Amino acid sequence: MRLEQLNFHHLFYFWRVAKAGHLTRVATELHTSQSALSAQIRQLEDRLGEPLFAREGRRLVLTDTGQLVLSYAEDIFGLGQEMLGRLVGRSEGMTRLRVGSVATLSRNYQENWIRPALADPSVVLTLESGVLEGLLARLLQHQLDVVLANETVPSNADRPLHCRFLGSQSISLVGPAGVWKNRSLRIPDDLQGLDIALPGPRHALRSQFDALCASAGVTPHLRAEVDDMAMLRLIARDSGWLTVLPEVVVQDELRAGVLVTVGQSTQLQERFYAITTTRRHRIEALERLLSD
């Protein structure tokens, strides 16, 4: 079979059904009949010489060949979506840059990283946040250009990813200036029984902190655990408790003197990564951010 014999319209229909796992829903979304959709997928199967779906009761399940074809279709139509995204605003000299950020990452850190793009009038930014796996799925489908994370991820043939280390910072213990100004505590030795707010269990930092306390036999009085760094910033500012976090999260409150640094630990580090696909197309605005 030659490439010109492949009907990409049929492949598109297969891609949509494979992703949805449901003929009726896709037929409605594409404004066609279920029978017409089935017929076009069967024509694709005839062209390829192998079945792409098997029925299990009322469910459509991909065959091994279907899984293989889907992986290529994801790239083909994902790149098509990327192309359309790139063309938006192109005639006006605009570049769209789509950045995903894990919900546990400091919004201050994200803003600091994209600051050069904020100053570039030719760049239109799309910013998303979410859980890492969901963001990586969108990255691999070419719906994002880069994902900012505080943990690295492995790359393999099915997930061709590249993790670029952006930097790291020590973790600080901060508290309200009215109580803790000119005072200091050792982490974790002096934290026994103290009211404290911590990043949630999903945060890469949390397991480090818990292990450090366990090894020292110290049990702080946990008052809150918060995944979202924007909320943890508010807790640190308004609760009156001590909070363990990267200083970048509360950089404005520290500058204003609302919060003070009570202690630091070089044993606790948050690392920052920019994750891209190895097959990505070069975007100058992104290259500049990655090279800084």
Side-chain angles (χ1 to χ4, degrees):
M1 179 180 178
R2 297 190 303 275
L3 183 62
E4 60 267 23
Q5 294 176 298
L6 178 63
N7 189 315
F8 284 91
H9 197 62
H10 295 169
L11 184 64
F12 175 75
Y13 281 176
F14 159 76
W15 176 63
R16 291 290 299 268
V17 172
K19 285 167 67 70
H22 201 284
L23 272 170
T24 306
R25 186 187 316 147
V26 175
T28 300
E29 290 171 354
L30 296 177
H31 307 290
T32 188
S33 67
Q34 184 175 332
S35 59
L37 192 58
S38 296
Q40 298 199 47
I41 292 174
R42 279 197 301 272
Q43 289 179 47
L44 177 63
E45 291 176 320
D46 291 342
R47 282 288 187 185
L48 297 175
E50 295 189 50
L52 300 176
F53 290 107
R55 279 205 172 271
E56 290 185 0
R58 300 180 64 182
R59 292 176 58 243
L60 284 176
V61 179
L62 287 167
T63 63
D64 289 344
T65 300
Q67 292 281 4
L68 177 64
V69 173
L70 175 61
S71 69
Y72 282 102
E74 290 277 30
D75 279 343
I76 291 167
F77 296 113
L79 284 169
Q81 290 174 326
E82 181 180 308
M83 176 192 71
L84 294 175
R86 291 280 163 272
L87 291 175
V88 173
R90 185 77 175 270
S91 61
E92 299 172 3
M94 305 298 289
T95 298
R96 183 172 294 277
L97 180 59
R98 302 163 301 172
V99 181
S101 176
V102 295
T104 56
L105 192 74
S106 161
R107 294 296 169 261
N108 282 341
Y109 179 83
Q110 182 180 352
E111 183 184 21
N112 291 343
W113 190 75
I114 64 172
R115 196 175 301 280
L118 295 176
D120 187 340
S122 69
V123 174
V124 177
L125 283 165
T126 298
L127 305 176
E128 297 185 18
S129 66
V131 297
L132 182 57
E133 284 304 313
L135 294 172
L136 293 179
R138 290 179 56 72
L139 179 68
L140 289 166
Q141 292 166 10
H142 310 280
Q143 295 170 6
L144 291 172
D145 301 308
V146 62
V147 170
L148 299 179
N150 47 16
E151 60 183 291
T152 187
V153 293
S155 179
N156 54 49
D158 294 327
R159 293 210 314 182
L161 300 171
H162 176 68
C163 286
R164 184 187 296 260
F165 177 65
L166 298 176
S168 64
Q169 62 178 343
S170 297
I171 300 306
S172 296
L173 181 70
V174 303
V179 178
W180 293 101
K181 190 174 183 179
N182 299 322
R183 297 174 64 185
S184 64
L185 295 173
R186 295 170 298 163
I187 303 174
D189 306 72
D190 297 334
L191 302 184
Q192 178 66 35
L194 292 181
D195 289 341
I196 200 165
L198 296 172
R202 290 192 304 167
H203 198 289
L205 162 67
R206 179 60 182 277
S207 59
Q208 298 178 45
F209 179 80
D210 287 348
L212 200 60
C213 288
S215 64
V218 171
T219 307
H221 183 204
L222 179 63
R223 297 298 304 274
E225 49 185 5
V226 185
D227 270 339
D228 183 80
M229 289 295 102
M231 179 56 71
L232 189 59
R233 169 178 171 261
L234 296 178
I235 293 289
R237 187 187 71 189
D238 299 332
S239 68
W241 308 327
L242 292 167
T243 309
V244 173
L245 40 63
E247 282 195 5
V248 68
V249 174
V250 289
Q251 61 186 19
D252 297 333
E253 287 76 11
L254 290 170
R255 290 190 194 116
V258 175
L259 295 173
V260 293
T261 301
V262 182
Q264 284 189 320
S265 173
T266 56
Q267 294 177 276
L268 297 174
Q269 295 275 331
E270 182 169 31
R271 296 171 177 84
F272 303 105
Y273 300 91
I275 305 171
T276 55
T277 62
T278 57
R279 301 172 185 167
R280 68 189 175 90
H281 290 267
R282 186 179 179 88
I283 306 168
E284 288 303 322
L286 177 56
E287 298 301 324
R288 289 194 293 270
L289 293 176
L290 292 173
S291 63
D292 285 347

